[in-house]
Amino acid sequence: MDGRTERVDAGGLVVVPPGVPHSFGAVRGSTADVPAVLTPGVDRFGYFPALGRIQSGQEPFSVLLPEQDRYDVHFVPPPGGAAAD
């Protein structure tokens, strides 16, 4: 976790190696479509809809904590503080 931010323009590609903490999102005040290719084929079908519900305030972030192994996502606190709920 080096705190580095990468900006990817339309049509760009990001490859994240296994085990590397990362996050993603649109620039504040804008939207983005993010097609994701996830390997290996782990059942993550509920993960991205859950992120949408969290982002819209329908559910707290804490609903994902017990699902980390199921979705093969493992949350780490952001630099300088704990993750918000």
Side-chain angles (χ1 to χ4, degrees):
M1 289 191 305
D2 65 6
R4 189 176 74 211
T5 299
E6 296 288 334
R7 181 185 172 118
V8 180
D9 293 320
L13 173 70
V14 175
V15 177
V16 180
V20 174
H22 62 281
S23 62
F24 58 90
V27 173
R28 188 178 306 268
S30 66
T31 62
D33 292 322
V34 181
V37 177
L38 306 168
T39 62
V42 175
D43 177 9
R44 293 186 179 101
F45 295 109
Y47 178 66
F48 289 101
L51 288 179
R53 291 189 302 274
I54 292 164
Q55 190 272 330
S56 68
Q58 296 173 357
E59 292 182 351
F61 172 76
S62 59
V63 300
L64 284 178
L65 296 178
E67 304 294 341
Q68 294 179 81
D69 288 332
R70 174 180 173 198
Y71 295 139
D72 191 28
V73 295
H74 304 279
F75 304 107
V76 297
D85 188 84

